[in-house]
Amino acid sequence: MLGGSTSIWAGRSMLLQSIDFDGPSSSIYGGWPIEFREIDEHLEAAGQYLGLPAKKNFDIAVHRSKLTPAEATILSQGELAPAISLWAVRPKRFGEIYEKELARAPGVQLFLNANVTGLRTNERGDAIEGLTVASLDGRTCIVRAQAYVIACGGIETPRLLLNSPGPQGEGLGNSRGHVGRFFMDHPRAVRGRAVLNPGVELNLSRGLPIASGKVQLGFRMSDEFIRRHGLLNHYCTFEEETSGYVQQSYQPFVEVMKVLIGKGHRGNRWNLAHALRTKTNESLIYLLSPKEIMPHWLYRTITTAKRRFPRKRQSRRYAIVYFCEQPPSATSRITLADTVDRLGMRRVRFDWQIDEAVARNICVLEDCIDSALRSNNLGVVARDDGPFQYNDASHHLGTARMSVDPCNGVVDADCRVHTVSNLFIAGGAVFPTGGHANPTLTVVSLTIRLAKHLKQLLAR
């Protein structure tokens, strides 16, 4: 659909840090072949496309007055640093917002229900000569251009490349076998509880509305601590622990809100009767919290009321939610299955591998949080002893990774496929590493950078 995954996006935006461009110390495949500043210089414009609060709101100094003494104390520990999340007043649905602008734009033609099923190359296989396009009603055509950009996400992008045989039949851009490999997501785990002593309050850590959107403080390990110990760049948030009754009621609440405010995929299956029958697993309420679902005015009203009329409790318990960096691994990959879809394209076989280092680094961050609470008489971390259980974040990254040369990736620093002169890739598929940050803001920034490059290239 027009607008892609922004049509169901909850809107959380975060910054990659400069340390993410170094690559995890355990990775033998290297980090980004571009510098952090090449993305950073486009972040303000990217934030405007997404309707985010100004970029300065990612700086903890802007929110210093909102910190409670406990939050300021935690951040004063050398091992920990802030991780700021921002939301727009309302998540931007690109299809709704930009359809008319696209229709008016000179030199732009927009086609829906036209599915690209393959890319045709010249005899040498080093340039694209056309796209094969098909619709579900059986119509087909060839589309020709000077340059081609695939922007299909981290799963459909490698699927399209592998379904396009190329000169040797191995798939376009796949002469070294990298297409579809290095699949990354951001594994998320709800693990342990922060039990705070009486009188200890969190403010920014719970999330707050601001005039231009919403903001939440998370806690990550500092750059110096990560480098010194060779760690992954995880972060965590504190979400107020809910009762069993709330957990049972939460999923119906999500579905009812979708119906009432018109977000997400709607149809006969999104009806109130269905919503009220739906159940959820325990962790969902902490991974998609009410602040990400409620309209801004409603969230702001409820938050103001809670702060004005706080409940008196002896202690507070918060679920600790970990958002994890996944190191790139060649065994975590997308391949093609033997079955085909209605358009004759081979389907995807999906093998997501999560390295044990992810769990080990959760334990390190947990230790840092526990130490900060205990040493300052703020509380303790009540740990879980069971096996690690992850949810995915729908952040599909790395399957056409950016690299200096074809030995370690699929596209170059300009997002051009190494072995094809006029084929470019936009989106999360090009990420060599993913940090912990929700990738949308970085994806838009990279896309602005690619658009400027193409404008200069085609002008020549």
Side-chain angles (χ1 to χ4, degrees), residues 302-313:
I302 291 174
T303 302
T304 301
K306 284 183 175 181
R307 294 179 66 187
R308 187 168 297 175
F309 305 105
R311 288 182 292 170
K312 294 182 179 180
R313 290 179 288 187

Side-chain angles (χ1 to χ4, degrees), residues 34-91:
I34 60 177
E35 296 181 10
F36 174 70
R37 62 173 179 80
E38 296 187 55
I39 290 179
D40 184 64
E41 67 186 47
H42 303 297
L43 287 175
E44 195 74 61
Q48 291 173 6
Y49 277 112
L50 295 170
L52 294 176
K55 180 188 170 188
K56 66 181 182 180
N57 284 281
F58 284 111
D59 186 347
I60 189 61
V62 173
H63 309 289
R64 189 73 64 182
S65 63
K66 303 181 181 71
L67 292 173
T68 64
E71 291 169 330
T73 299
I74 293 172
L75 288 176
S76 69
Q77 310 301 299
E79 295 86 359
L80 295 172
I84 299 291
S85 300
L86 295 179
W87 289 260
V89 169
R90 180 179 182 272

Side-chain angles (χ1 to χ4, degrees), residues 151-203:
C152 301
I155 295 177
E156 288 297 314
T157 291
R159 182 187 181 213
L160 179 58
L161 292 173
L162 293 172
N163 268 288
S164 305
Q168 305 299 324
E170 72 280 8
L172 270 181
N174 198 36
S175 59
R176 303 296 181 97
H178 294 318
V179 172
R181 292 188 184 272
F182 308 102
F183 177 86
M184 298 174 290
D185 204 310
H186 290 128
R188 302 191 293 188
V190 180
R191 188 171 179 85
R193 299 294 186 269
V195 184
L196 303 186
N197 294 338
V200 175
E201 297 288 343
L202 299 180
N203 190 358

Side-chain angles (χ1 to χ4, degrees), residues 93-328:
R93 310 298 177 201
F94 279 20
E96 299 173 10
I97 301 297
Y98 298 118
E99 182 175 16
K100 291 181 180 179
E101 185 175 337
L102 285 171
R104 292 192 304 266
V108 172
Q109 289 178 282
L110 176 66
F111 296 92
L112 299 179
N113 304 307
N115 305 280
V116 177
T117 57
L119 299 97
R120 295 187 174 192
T121 67
N122 59 13
E123 290 186 2
R124 296 186 304 276
D126 60 1
I128 304 298
E129 292 190 336
L131 307 176
T132 59
V133 177
S135 62
L136 291 173
D137 62 10
R139 288 178 291 172
T140 61
C141 69
I142 304 295
V143 177
R144 305 185 191 280
Q146 289 178 278
Y148 303 81
V149 181
I150 302 174
C152 301
I155 295 177
E156 288 297 314
T157 291
R159 182 187 181 213
L160 179 58
L161 292 173
L162 293 172
N163 268 288
S164 305
Q168 305 299 324
E170 72 280 8
L172 270 181
N174 198 36
S175 59
R176 303 296 181 97
H178 294 318
V179 172
R181 292 188 184 272
F182 308 102
F183 177 86
M184 298 174 290
D185 204 310
H186 290 128
R188 302 191 293 188
V190 180
R191 188 171 179 85
R193 299 294 186 269
V195 184
L196 303 186
N197 294 338
V200 175
E201 297 288 343
L202 299 180
N203 190 358
L204 201 58
S205 306
R206 293 288 299 112
L208 288 176
I210 55 179
S212 51
K214 306 169 191 174
V215 60
Q216 183 179 22
L217 168 67
F219 300 100
R220 56 182 284 266
M221 293 171 284
S222 67
D223 290 357
E224 192 278 332
F225 190 75
I226 289 173
R227 289 193 174 102
R228 188 185 346 140
H229 297 284
L231 302 171
L232 299 173
N233 189 10
H234 295 357
Y235 88 103
C236 68
T237 62
F238 294 164
E239 302 294 343
E240 194 158 1
E241 188 175 44
T242 63
S243 65
Y245 172 78
V246 171
Q247 291 173 9
Q248 292 174 9
S249 305
Y250 176 72
Q251 184 66 29
F253 162 76
V254 173
E255 307 304 344
V256 169
M257 290 299 293
K258 284 182 177 180
V259 171
L260 294 181
I261 65 180
K263 293 181 180 178
H265 292 294
R266 286 179 295 164
N268 292 333
R269 63 196 179 104
W270 295 127
N271 57 61
L272 293 179
H274 169 81
L276 293 172
R277 291 194 305 267
T278 307
K279 296 183 178 180
T280 185
N281 77 35
E282 177 185 358
S283 64
L284 180 60
I285 190 169
Y286 303 119
L287 300 177
L288 188 62
S289 58
K291 64 179 169 290
E292 299 185 82
I293 301 167
M294 290 182 183
H296 184 262
W297 66 267
L298 179 58
Y299 177 66
R300 192 168 191 172
T301 301
I302 291 174
T303 302
T304 301
K306 284 183 175 181
R307 294 179 66 187
R308 187 168 297 175
F309 305 105
R311 288 182 292 170
K312 294 182 179 180
R313 290 179 288 187
Q314 290 300 308
S315 63
R316 293 176 183 265
R317 290 175 60 91
Y318 294 94
I320 306 178
V321 184
Y322 294 93
F323 301 78
C324 303
E325 176 178 17
Q326 179 180 353

